[in-house]
Amino acid sequence: MKTIDELLAEGVAGKRVFVRADLNVPLDGTTITDDGRIRAVLPTVAKLAEAGARVVVASHLGRPKGAPDPAFSLAPAAARLGELLGADVAFATDTVGASARAAVAGLADGRVAVIENLRFNAGETSKDDAERGAFADQLAELADAYVGDGFGAVHRKHASVFDLPARLPHYAGYLIATEVGVLKKLTTDVQRPYAVVLGGAKVSDKLGVIDHLLERADRILIGGGMAYTFLKAKGYEVGSSLLQEDQIPAVQEYLRRAEEKGVEFVLPVDVVVAPAFPDLKTKAPAHPATVAADAMPEGQMGLDNGPETNKLYASKLADAATVFWNGPMGVFEHPDFADGTRAVAQALVDSPAFSVVGGGDSAAAVRILGFDENAFGHISTGGGASLEYLEGKTLPGLAALED
């Protein structure tokens, strides 16, 4: 895999360099609530611009239906990128149309343009190779070289991620090189004890990584909505908590295998419950109560780990040498249910372990809860991509960057 440093050594002054970034930032209207992904690609974009490249930045945002949708415009991300660069950034209101062609044609050396949301074109996500390829052909006309730096999208077989690199000289950006280097530390020559913390809503989203980690991790800590399927699998009642009953047999099999292999599975011993899911807009009091994990009342919903669980999990992370964390422990966006996620983040800050926060909601939680990002070993920009890498899957966007 060639890197951006090799491209820079070849010389980029005057060349149009297409940077496939991940600017898929959370928005409240047109206000960016977490700019972490924009800041993550900044070193690549800035370095190319400093070297005189004409930089064309492209990304997806959200899940529009293959047609323009103002709610998913990249305009706020383009404006924020310009603020971080300290330079004007041109913005094209389409992907490969007249606006994109004009924006790229108008670039001077060292300047940057952002084209509109790639998913406004159905060819970006098409399952049809020909349709996807046709869109990649149009994108290729905008550039002389390709830099892949959108780690959060490398697990997608999309036109700008998989097909476009085959049409241009291609290189890995600084972010992707860093992400892959970090994930290799979690898969080869891992420093032990190796602890994994998994949370989030659905256990079905994590089955593949659990299966893979049973062969590698020393202990696995479970939280979030997925914990209630595990508790139900142990025979506990879980009230009105999120539950995937169809996954109970698989969970029971994982618990059996973990015991057989000597992998410690750690589940909540107490949980914070409320009568209903909280209002995340008003943050109105949700009337929480703490109950034992094996004594959840009917009609109550588990929404966070309890204080005893928080102490237990901190103790299980204190002596770890390597920690991977993906998924919040509760509804961290509401102050009544943020303590479990905060406790895990604090435990990683306090631990000497090499800690990796696996993107997505976990990365957002670290920032929203006010932690110093530099206190963690690495905060990934790709939750789904990092999970699939740890599952041992081939990621299309990484495979496309190989020669």
Side-chain angles (χ1 to χ4, degrees), residues 26 48-49 102 106 140 196 241 305 326:
L48 287 167
V196 176
S241 306
N305 288 347
N326 180 280

Side-chain angles (χ1 to χ4, degrees), residues 266-277:
V266 189
L267 301 177
V269 294
D270 62 345
V271 295
V272 180
V273 300
F277 196 85

